[in-house]
Amino acid sequence: MEISNQIKGWTLGKRQDSDLLQEQTDKPSRADSADFLQGLYALPDNKIIDKLLEHENPQRIIQELPVQDFFWLVKKVGDDDCLPLLEMATEEQWQYLLDLEIWKKDRVDEAQTAAWIKRLQLADCKRLASWLCSEGRDLASLHFSKQMEVVTCSSKEEAYDLPEGFVTVDGFRHFRVVGSEEKETLEEILREMANQDFMKFDSFLGSLTQVIPAETEEEMYRLRTSRIAEHGFLPFEEAVSVYAPLNAASLDRGGTSRFQDTLLDHEIHAIVPASPLHHAETRNILMECASTITDPLLIDRIRLEFAGLCNQILSAEGMPVHEIESLREVSLRASRYLNLALERLCGHDLSSAEEVLRRHSLSAVFRVGFGMALKLKWEADRWLKVSWFYKQDLGPGFWGEHWAGMIEGLLFKRPQFYVGSEEKEEYKDFEWLAEIGECLRVLRRLMVLDSLVQRLSEICGADEKTLQSAEATFHSFLFNFWARLFLKLEPSFSGISLNQTKTLFHRLRADNGPPFRMSGFEERFIKDLMAYAAPSDSETAMVLRETLTFVWQEFVQEHEWIPTEKLDARYSKFVTIIRSSDSFSH
């Protein structure tokens, strides 16, 4: 039997060619495609494909997408529901998707490779077979060589001795797929290869026995690294430079409009992605400025650089690129630090912000914003090493939930702002100067309070049992000490009895409330404690006074609705109430 007849008989007959993709000559504008894409992002994941197929030319819309937008559209739809997208995509879009999906560091993930080859085979087996014989040859060689056995037989007698399961189309080369899970997928791809070009198919089979997996994988990794670097996915050693702090003054001195001419090139203009900037779901100076820019070259450059910046951050963080949440997280991070820098440089002047974006790369502006947070972290690190509470091994919780959250956020490798445990995100990247200011204010307060508590501990000789007790917080230390001072007891961080606590509150409360205001005692509290602190300069004294005022107001608010007879040791945050009937003596 002739080879051509053998090929015709060897068929699974599951799909025809890709005639489903109708060519149309009326090409919509790129702006129309971008607007349509924005509409897709707003839809629930399970409605995207339906909406896309309602378009008069869905294939054109998909093929005009920059590879990054296509990738994130696939991730939004879901890996198992993206076959229509794969069917309409270009081979370049396939390659970008595989570059991000099938690699685990510098090694090809066999399970992911098998999964995506199967999806592409189901989407368009004809084009996949052709691509694997050309641009995708290395991937096919590496994967198929691990899943198949190929034997060349010079005679029929040798063929008879082969184990069951081997297939041949020319009586010369025999092969079988080893993995049962992939048998159907790979056989259909091989059958399509043979149907398209038997000589290429035969050459491919023959080459499988010569594949050296380590060498092939190394060359694939080299090419893949080069391809994705063009989109901002740099090697870790280079990517971390995005977190190198840059002074705002240095940015002010440089910068020119050197980027504009680049985007006049049609090929570069066509790869500008929109999805990363779209997923920066926040309202700030950056996003407001971007929405008002009328210069198409500038907004395209911003979108292109923003996507590259996000990819560089992903590389630096080692974050997974397989979930749409990763894009949202990194887009927010980039947007927030860019906004922080813009507010520092321009205030809320949108025209000045636009000029900064025109004259400087987004990477440089991002480094200015991150540098501001990093300087705050460095100050927190320096203080922590010499602080009293740290030397006593008390931990951040010593400062109460909110201030502990603040200091812990600053001590992260990449410092973050503490929003609160009740919020959607407990920590967030710095976005506004007010957040930097709040953290700096808290840090200054902790510094002066730490010095004060250290001085008080030297006076009252706090023992290890008191320091390590579950009630050990700066609140209890300050108010236990002051309560004992007020009641003329021996100076100590130890608590007082319930009777002594009731006597304290009877004396502090002049009104019959609630609410109980404790009028006139705020100044006494501040003066009594500041007398022990003896601040070294007027600025420190001012910060300490403001901090003690804040702490006293917290104390008043905590107790303004609690009658004295209802005081309970279990719920007393400021004064430690000892369960004892001991009375005090004057």
Side-chain angles (χ1 to χ4, degrees):
M1 183 182 294
E2 294 182 358
I3 291 176
S4 59
N5 290 333
Q6 294 180 32
I7 295 173
K8 289 178 182 178
W10 180 46
T11 179
L12 299 177
K14 286 190 174 180
R15 284 181 61 86
Q16 300 298 320
D17 60 14
S18 55
D19 290 339
L20 296 171
L21 306 180
Q22 182 179 1
E23 290 293 335
Q24 297 184 18
T25 57
D26 53 331
K27 184 175 182 179
S29 71
R30 188 170 178 274
D32 291 340
S33 299
D35 291 342
F36 187 79
L37 178 64
Q38 296 294 330
L40 291 182
Y41 282 136
L43 295 173
D45 300 353
N46 60 351
K47 299 294 184 182
I48 291 177
I49 296 297
D50 291 340
K51 181 66 175 178
L52 181 64
L53 295 178
E54 290 174 4
H55 193 274
E56 60 181 4
N57 194 343
Q59 180 187 10
R60 184 76 71 184
I61 288 289
I62 292 300
Q63 293 192 351
E64 284 190 340
L65 291 180
V67 292
Q68 294 185 63
D69 285 341
F70 172 77
F71 174 81
W72 289 116
L73 187 61
V74 167
K75 304 315 291 182
K76 184 170 176 63
V77 169
D79 295 348
D80 296 328
D81 298 317
C82 70
L83 295 188
L85 299 181
L86 298 178
E87 186 175 25
M88 290 183 282
T90 65
E91 287 83 352
E92 183 183 8
Q93 289 168 333
W94 285 359
Q95 180 70 75
Y96 183 81
L97 184 147
L98 293 173
D99 280 341
L100 297 187
E101 286 289 295
I102 70 172
W103 289 87
K104 185 178 292 184
K105 295 185 178 179
D106 60 346
R107 303 297 301 273
V108 172
D109 186 318
E110 292 186 21
Q112 281 288 86
T113 302
W116 282 105
I117 285 181
K118 181 176 180 62
R119 293 182 186 112
L120 290 170
Q121 176 262 318
L122 292 173
D124 194 332
C125 188
K126 183 176 181 180
R127 274 204 301 149
L128 175 62
S130 176
W131 183 74
L132 290 176
C133 283
S134 52
E135 290 90 347
R137 178 70 177 259
D138 285 344
L139 173 62
S141 296
L142 181 67
H143 186 67
F144 280 62
S145 67
K146 294 179 179 180
Q147 307 299 325
M148 291 173 54
E149 292 181 273
V150 179
V151 177
T152 300
C153 296
S154 57
S155 65
K156 291 183 179 180
E157 289 73 16
E158 290 184 29
Y160 289 143
D161 294 333
L162 291 175
E164 184 179 354
F166 275 88
V167 179
T168 183
V169 295
D170 60 1
F172 181 60
R173 299 195 194 280
H174 298 70
F175 64 91
R176 67 173 177 180
V177 178
V178 179
S180 58
E181 293 183 2
E182 293 190 58
K183 186 174 187 297
E184 185 177 350
T185 298
L186 298 188
E187 283 188 350
E188 183 163 349
I189 293 172
L190 289 168
R191 184 169 288 110
E192 186 58 50
M193 285 182 177
N195 276 325
Q196 289 183 20
D197 191 325
F198 183 79
M199 296 301 293
K200 286 185 178 180
F201 163 74
D202 184 64
S203 172
F204 174 72
L205 277 187
S207 69
L208 293 183
T209 58
Q210 308 298 319
V211 172
I212 303 175
E215 291 183 1
T216 303
E217 193 172 45
E218 182 178 354
E219 177 62 13
M220 288 174 61
Y221 182 69
R222 184 187 68 80
L223 294 173
R224 179 249 187 186
T225 299
S226 177
R227 285 192 299 267
I228 65 174
E230 296 177 359
H231 300 279
F233 288 105
L234 302 176
F236 173 79
E237 297 77 10
E238 298 178 38
V240 291
S241 65
V242 74
Y243 286 120
L246 187 65
N247 289 328
S250 300
L251 193 66
D252 289 340
R253 290 194 296 270
T256 60
S257 305
R258 63 190 183 280
F259 302 99
Q260 294 290 66
D261 293 340
T262 306
L263 290 171
L264 294 176
D265 184 280
H266 174 74
E267 292 184 0
I268 295 179
H269 183 74
I271 68 170
V272 175
S275 50
L277 192 62
H278 170 82
H279 281 91
E281 298 168 347
T282 185
R283 297 181 63 184
N284 57 27
I285 299 167
L286 171 72
M287 301 306 292
E288 189 175 352
C289 180
S291 68
T292 60
I293 291 174
T294 57
D295 183 347
L297 294 180
L298 178 58
I299 192 60
D300 270 357
R301 199 211 89 207
I302 289 173
R303 288 190 180 118
L304 186 61
E305 285 196 20
F306 189 85
L309 175 62
C310 289
N311 292 343
Q312 187 173 352
I313 295 172
L314 286 169
S315 298
E317 293 289 337
M319 296 172 66
V321 196
H322 309 298
E323 301 294 337
I324 196 70
E325 284 305 315
S326 295
L327 175 63
R328 293 192 179 104
E329 180 180 345
V330 77
S331 295
L332 266 176
R333 175 170 300 174
S335 172
R336 284 168 171 169
Y337 277 119
L338 287 168
N339 185 80
L340 182 61
L342 289 175
E343 187 183 12
R344 161 66 178 79
L345 295 165
C346 314
H348 289 261
D349 186 338
L350 295 185
S351 61
S352 296
E354 179 177 337
E355 186 61 22
V356 169
L357 296 177
R358 185 183 300 277
R359 296 180 63 83
H360 302 282
S361 69
L362 293 195
S363 177
V365 178
F366 176 90
R367 289 170 57 197
V368 169
F370 180 74
M372 295 169 65
L374 195 60
K375 288 178 182 178
L376 196 57
K377 170 185 170 57
W378 290 341
E379 185 166 354
D381 284 336
R382 283 192 298 268
W383 167 69
L384 183 67
K385 292 175 182 177
V386 300
S387 65
W388 174 84
F389 93 96
Y390 183 75
K391 292 177 181 177
Q392 303 303 317
D393 198 28
L394 289 172
F398 177 74
W399 302 109
E401 180 183 355
H402 186 74
W403 283 356
M406 285 285 195
I407 195 68
E408 287 177 338
L410 289 179
L411 296 178
F412 289 163
K413 182 179 179 182
R414 317 282 189 219
Q416 290 192 309
F417 179 71
Y418 178 70
V419 180
S421 57
E422 297 180 0
E423 299 297 326
K424 181 180 180 181
E425 49 180 354
E426 188 173 4
Y427 291 93
K428 64 183 283 290
D429 294 299
F430 286 92
E431 185 174 10
W432 301 98
L433 290 178
E435 295 166 352
I436 294 287
E438 183 176 349
C439 280
L440 185 59
R441 190 161 48 250
V442 167
L443 190 56
R444 294 284 185 265
R445 286 176 174 176
L446 296 186
M447 288 178 177
V448 296
L449 284 177
D450 185 79
S451 296
L452 173 60
V453 176
Q454 179 179 6
R455 177 64 181 145
L456 296 180
S457 71
E458 293 169 354
I459 294 171
C460 64
D463 56 35
E464 185 174 348
K465 181 179 179 181
T466 301
L467 292 174
Q468 299 302 323
S469 67
E471 295 82 12
T473 68
F474 87 94
H475 287 114
S476 63
F477 280 16
L478 289 183
F479 281 90
N480 287 349
F481 184 92
W482 185 75
R484 298 179 72 87
L485 181 68
F486 187 85
L487 297 173
K488 295 182 170 54
L489 300 174
E490 180 183 359
S492 172
F493 286 150
S494 299
I496 56 178
S497 70
L498 180 59
N499 286 338
Q500 291 168 336
T501 305
K502 289 180 179 180
T503 299
L504 171 69
F505 277 88
H506 275 305
R507 292 186 178 182
L508 292 177
R509 291 169 168 175
D511 48 10
N512 295 321
F516 302 101
R517 300 300 183 190
M518 305 186 195
S519 301
F521 288 98
E522 176 181 315
E523 187 62 24
R524 179 172 175 178
F525 171 79
I526 294 170
K527 284 184 176 180
D528 284 349
L529 291 180
M530 287 192 68
Y532 288 95
S536 58
D537 55 73
S538 59
E539 183 179 353
T540 302
M542 182 180 67
V543 173
L544 179 57
R545 170 173 283 277
E546 290 176 351
T547 303
L548 291 175
T549 300
F550 175 81
V551 172
W552 175 264
Q553 291 171 353
E554 276 192 316
F555 172 71
V556 172
Q557 291 171 8
E558 178 79 7
H559 295 94
E560 65 181 348
W561 298 101
I562 303 174
T564 302
E565 60 273 14
K566 296 292 185 181
L567 291 170
D568 192 321
R570 294 172 297 175
Y571 309 114
S572 182
K573 169 184 172 182
F574 289 82
V575 178
T576 304
I577 303 174
I578 300 174
R579 294 178 177 86
S580 170
S581 59
D582 297 340
S583 61
F584 71 90
S585 59
H586 293 285

